[in-house]
Amino acid sequence: MAPHTAAPGDRGPREVADRLAIYELYARYAQAADLVDGAAYADCFTEDGWTDISSFGHTAESFRRRGLDVLDETGKVRGRARLRTIATKAPGAPHYHHLTVNAVVTSYEGDRATGSAYFVVLAPDGRVHQFGRYEDVIVRDTDGQWRFAERRDLAAFNSGTTLPRG
């Protein structure tokens, strides 16, 4: 069955409510990261959800050197326990500000959607620390909440380095 692509005026109340919940998910994710709230951050994902951060140049080994065994060999952080760990900062670590802009639900079919958004991460001094795009698979979870099942961070810029397009 093809994804639903009804014009905004042709969407029923359930689809409109679902799309609003998905947009709020994007906002909750950014706020949880800003507040260094590992539990709220992890709750934005399904129990077995993952985020792929390999485009930033991170490796499992680089994370292990920092004492974090959370990244698999493909550059993904899988499962809520590991997601909670990467969102929890050490005392004294700088706090960044995450902006999610131009979020779009690119397909919608009942309990599954895809979406994309741009992200900009500001350093504590206000400079751009990172920017790029998210590509997401979003599902209605068993409790009825919309959560990320798959998230790809496609970084274009990371702390002064323009990254290759992949």
Side-chain angles (χ1 to χ4, degrees):
M1 184 174 230
H4 185 74
T5 56
D10 296 335
R11 295 179 180 142
R14 180 179 172 138
E15 182 177 348
V16 171
D18 286 344
R19 286 174 179 266
L20 178 59
I22 291 167
Y23 295 133
E24 287 181 351
L25 171 63
Y26 279 99
R28 280 197 331 270
Y29 173 91
Q31 288 187 357
D34 285 354
L35 296 172
V36 194
D37 186 339
Y41 179 90
D43 191 53
C44 291
F45 292 84
T46 60
E47 188 64 40
D48 61 348
W50 53 262
T51 186
D52 181 341
I53 59 173
S54 61
S55 68
F56 289 103
H58 300 305
T59 65
E61 181 55 33
S62 71
F63 266 63
R64 280 192 289 271
R65 283 193 301 267
R66 295 183 351 210
L68 295 170
D69 189 19
V70 296
L71 199 63
D72 72 15
E73 297 304 322
T74 68
K76 293 181 179 82
V77 180
R78 295 177 186 273
R80 283 191 185 146
R82 288 188 169 112
L83 289 159
R84 186 176 307 113
T85 298
I86 65 164
T88 305
K89 302 241 186 288
H95 289 277
Y96 295 96
H97 301 281
H98 297 72
L99 306 174
T100 304
V101 297
N102 298 342
V104 176
V105 175
T106 54
S107 73
Y108 169 88
E109 187 62 41
D111 292 337
R112 183 179 176 89
T114 59
S116 68
Y118 291 101
F119 65 85
V120 178
V121 181
L122 301 176
D125 65 3
R127 293 183 199 191
V128 173
H129 176 63
Q130 299 170 331
F131 68 80
R133 189 177 79 250
Y134 297 125
E135 293 291 335
D136 302 303
V137 174
I138 308 149
V139 299
R140 187 188 323 270
D141 212 345
T142 55
D143 64 356
Q145 296 294 310
W146 285 92
R147 291 190 172 89
F148 299 115
E150 302 173 9
R151 168 158 268 203
R152 287 176 180 78
D153 291 35
L154 303 172
F157 178 85
N158 186 26
S159 298
T161 304
T162 302
L163 301 169
R165 291 270 190 218

